[in-house]
Amino acid sequence: MKLLYQTHSPYARKALVFALEAGLGDRIAVEHHETSPTRANPEVFAENPLGKVPVLLRPGQEPIFDSAVICAYLDTLHDGPRLIPDGGEARWRALRFEAVAQGLADSGIQLRWERVRRPEALRYPPLADGYALKLEESYAWLERRLDAGEMVTVGHIALATALDWLEFRDLPSFRAFPRLSAWFDAFAARPSMQATLLAGETHD
Ligand SMILES: N[C@@H](CCC(=O)N[C@@H](CS)C(=O)NCC(=O)O)C(=O)O
């Protein structure tokens, strides 16, 4: 399989860390692609009508996107413990963490548009403040809920890759939250995270 990837995308890294945690790393070839809504990448659009990475290409079958669907698919390919628990509260806990992580990355990207990427005259500070609030509230919510001893799930993978990206892009920091910071630092030391360090600039 081939993974259309970007070394500075939290979502692409989430899919790759998931593959590594599931023991599927040797089945995936990573191919870097730059993407931006202001600079369409035809090779990515050919596989995903949204023009975004990650996309998983499978020989002779339809492409799979987005990161959540790629993770759900990869979880069907291995014999280890499910990274997306099959049922019960564990499932909803994992998927809810994943939803918060997606919101963190989405809000961080929007905040970067408002503070860095959009031409200065087109920026709207109240919108930036609204996205920053989502980050702060999510950090406080996670601080009360993350548990260091838990089995790794898709939710943890999504959170760690989103948080690392927020820090990489110098977005509002989660470091004032000690439990969240300690949880992140422990997760960031995993081989799957160390093998996929963030790098590179966005090209708009
Ligand atoms: N919901 C998607 C989001 C993917 C996404 O936004 N990827 C970014 C890279 S960080 C992208 O390719 N953006 C290009 C665009 O918005 O046109 C996922 O979880 O995979």
Side-chain angles (χ1 to χ4, degrees):
M1 295 177 286
K2 193 193 282 184
L3 185 66
L4 306 192
Y5 190 77
Q6 199 175 98
T7 55
H8 48 88
S9 163
Y11 314 99
R13 188 183 187 199
K14 169 187 156 192
L16 186 55
V17 168
F18 190 103
L20 295 174
E21 291 286 344
L24 298 168
D26 56 355
R27 292 182 57 184
I28 293 179
V30 170
E31 192 175 281
H32 186 91
H33 285 269
E34 289 298 333
T35 55
S36 163
T38 63
R39 206 181 198 199
N41 179 329
E43 287 172 276
V44 177
F45 267 99
E47 309 296 353
N48 173 359
L50 300 173
K52 298 183 182 195
V53 294
V55 183
L56 185 71
L57 304 182
R58 304 169 299 161
Q61 285 175 298
E62 290 278 339
I64 294 186
F65 52 85
D66 62 2
S67 65
V69 186
I70 294 171
C71 291
Y73 173 71
L74 293 176
D75 216 25
T76 67
L77 299 185
H78 68 100
D79 296 327
R82 297 295 89 170
L83 295 171
I84 305 174
D86 281 336
E89 273 308 302
R91 179 173 178 81
W92 310 124
R93 180 172 170 82
L95 293 181
R96 194 170 60 160
F97 278 145
E98 184 183 24
V100 171
Q102 291 290 109
L104 282 174
D106 294 348
S107 301
I109 287 176
Q110 293 307 322
L111 185 52
R112 249 166 70 74
W113 274 109
E114 291 303 326
R115 293 203 171 149
V116 185
R117 293 169 75 181
R118 205 185 284 274
E120 217 160 332
L122 299 178
R123 294 180 197 166
Y124 184 48
L127 193 51
D129 294 346
Y131 285 119
L133 178 67
K134 294 180 198 298
L135 297 182
E136 288 294 336
E137 290 290 327
S138 298
Y139 298 158
W141 187 92
L142 289 164
E143 176 76 1
R144 297 190 300 273
R145 284 175 178 82
L146 277 171
D147 181 352
E150 260 184 296
M151 288 271 291
V152 170
T153 70
V154 68
H156 301 116
I157 294 167
L159 282 174
T161 48
L163 289 168
D164 204 20
W165 177 82
L166 289 161
E167 192 154 71
F168 173 68
R169 288 301 187 214
D170 216 14
L171 285 154
S173 176
F174 58 87
R175 292 295 179 180
F177 297 92
R179 277 167 56 99
L180 176 57
S181 288
W183 175 86
F184 169 76
D185 287 338
F187 198 97
R190 294 179 76 86
S192 60
M193 292 289 286
Q194 290 296 312
T196 56
L197 296 178
L198 292 165
E201 286 309 318
T202 311
H203 300 273
D204 288 319

